Amino acid sequence: MWARTFTIALSIVGAMYLMACSEPSTQASQLQKKVALGRALFNDVRLSKDGQQACASCHDASRAFMDARPNVSSHRRGEPGAVSLGQDGQSLGDINTPSIAYLAFAPDFFFDTSDPEESLYKGGFFLNGRAASLHEQAKGPFVNPVEMQTTVAELAAKVEIFYAADFEKIYGAGVFASAGLAYSAISDALVAFERSSEFASFDSKFDRVMAAKESFSEQEQRGFELFKAEDKGNCAACHTVPEPGASKSERLFTDFTYDNLGVPANEVVRRLNGLASDYQDEGLLANPVVSDEGLKGAFRVVSLRNVAVTGPYMHNGVFRDLATVVHFYNSRDVAGAINPETHKPWRAAEVQSTANREELGDLGLSDDEVEDIVAFMKTLTDRRYEALQ
């Protein structure tokens, strides 16, 4: 059986090599077929354990690919949950489901040694970097015990029942010879879809301003300057502003690094999950290739594309409003400062020992300047989602 599977795998690789050497029109047609197949898989609830949840359930294309469904973790009735429910309608995640718009332009997980003064982990997928590549990210939710709750074998069997002809046309007659081969092909089709323009339109007001098709309002311009100013907001230190002619991966408003922002635990979610009061999410440190204790509690610096319409915010969904996030960055460490959502002082960081105290926590912004920065960040919303702001 191993030899047969190996031979089939080689034939599939060979077919893909021949396809890569074929005429451009043939390649484009094949890619279109992959994208269409990936779109079908992405929206198919039948692929979860009990047929109750699709990738699209947690990544709604009409809501910038975030989870807009209310649940018991919502800050307010009818609003998106701070974290997502699994396909059984009961299991609850502990990390906020991020938007996957523009995700295809993120780099694979790597350790960047290009700066002799500071080597950093960068890239990767999921907020804690537990998937090294986009292909691994696409596989993860299916077998996650809190999410779609199925197995590789069950998934492969369902896909063979519903999509055998399409898969065999694209990946060859032997694609279902083993569950592993089918699983890789499923991931490949999903990645093709995630790399399509449906996920990344680059047509926000910011993009239109940079193309000299529109202009910022006075407030948006002030916010843009504060966003960049090293002695004020300094948001651009991590959420890098693209230069003219920048590549798409450089236009996401992130440097793809990891940081512990000193975010407090989401106590509501922890109670719902039944986790101990002293439980700590180790973030990047939970990645098996990471051993640096200084990275405990660090999470990926997210893209700010569509940030105004993808709340709740932070890795655990603890904040409801975007303005609250900016207030937190501004006054987290200021004595007497108040969380505008709770009207109480900011709570302590979940992981205090590694919290970033140098670049945020006391920025000295006025309330008007906070509003200006929020106004600028709203210009990063794709045109089709602007009505949601």
Side-chain angles (χ1 to χ4, degrees), residues 58-347:
C58 296
H59 300 289
D60 184 345
S62 69
R63 295 294 298 270
F65 294 96
M66 52 83 71
D67 190 351
R69 301 172 299 167
N71 63 46
V72 291
S73 71
S74 298
H75 287 266
R76 294 180 182 176
R77 186 183 299 273
E79 293 185 347
V83 293
S84 295
L85 287 175
Q87 69 92 45
D88 60 6
Q90 297 179 353
S91 300
L92 198 68
D94 196 59
I95 294 179
N96 176 257
T97 300
S99 167
I100 56 172
Y102 296 93
L103 191 64
F105 296 104
D108 288 355
F109 189 73
F110 72 106
F111 191 60
D112 186 0
T113 59
S114 61
D115 185 344
E117 297 183 2
E118 187 177 37
S119 298
L120 300 168
Y121 285 103
K122 291 184 178 181
F125 300 85
F126 299 114
L127 294 180
N128 56 11
R130 67 183 186 273
S133 68
L134 190 60
H135 284 270
E136 291 303 309
Q137 179 272 328
K139 291 178 177 179
F142 289 112
V143 296
N144 188 298
V146 177
E147 298 181 44
M148 297 175 77
Q149 303 175 335
T150 190
T151 67
V152 173
E154 291 168 345
L155 174 65
K158 287 183 178 181
V159 169
E160 184 172 14
I161 291 170
F162 302 131
Y163 297 100
D166 292 323
F167 269 83
E168 289 171 355
K169 286 178 182 177
I170 296 172
Y171 297 102
V175 66
F176 294 106
S178 74
L181 284 175
Y183 195 33
S184 293
I186 291 165
S187 170
D188 188 67
L190 285 168
V191 167
F193 178 48
E194 288 186 85
R195 287 177 172 158
S196 71
S197 59
E198 186 170 339
F199 284 77
S201 57
F202 289 100
D203 64 354
S204 68
K205 182 174 183 178
F206 173 84
D207 297 299
R208 302 194 298 269
V209 170
M210 293 300 104
K213 296 179 179 179
E214 289 189 33
S215 300
F216 286 136
S217 69
E218 291 184 4
Q219 185 182 36
E220 291 164 351
Q221 185 64 46
R222 291 196 305 269
F224 186 34
E225 298 305 324
L226 289 165
F227 188 94
K228 296 184 294 181
E230 294 182 6
D231 62 340
K232 295 297 288 186
N234 199 26
C235 313
C238 297
H239 297 285
T240 48
V241 176
E243 299 290 339
S247 67
K248 289 183 175 180
S249 65
E250 295 171 325
R251 292 160 58 189
L252 303 190
F253 286 84
T254 173
D255 62 2
F256 304 107
T257 59
Y258 291 78
D259 200 357
N260 177 3
L261 304 175
V263 176
N266 189 326
E267 295 176 326
V268 172
V269 170
R270 289 290 162 78
R271 286 197 299 270
L272 290 168
N273 277 332
L275 294 171
S277 59
D278 59 350
Y279 173 83
Q280 291 185 332
D281 190 330
E282 294 189 336
L284 183 59
L285 185 59
N287 187 316
V289 305
V290 178
S291 59
D292 183 355
E293 289 287 335
L295 296 173
K296 184 177 182 180
F299 290 86
R300 181 163 51 80
V301 175
V302 298
S303 167
L304 295 186
R305 292 275 175 177
N306 296 314
V307 67
V309 297
T310 52
Y313 300 99
M314 317 313 280
H315 70 272
N316 54 11
V318 71
F319 298 141
R320 174 178 178 268
D321 293 323
L322 183 57
T324 304
V325 177
V326 184
H327 279 295
F328 175 76
Y329 276 62
N330 182 43
S331 65
R332 182 198 64 195
D333 299 335
V334 177
I338 299 297
N339 178 341
E341 293 182 7
T342 64
H343 305 292
K344 296 178 181 180
W346 299 110
R347 291 189 290 108

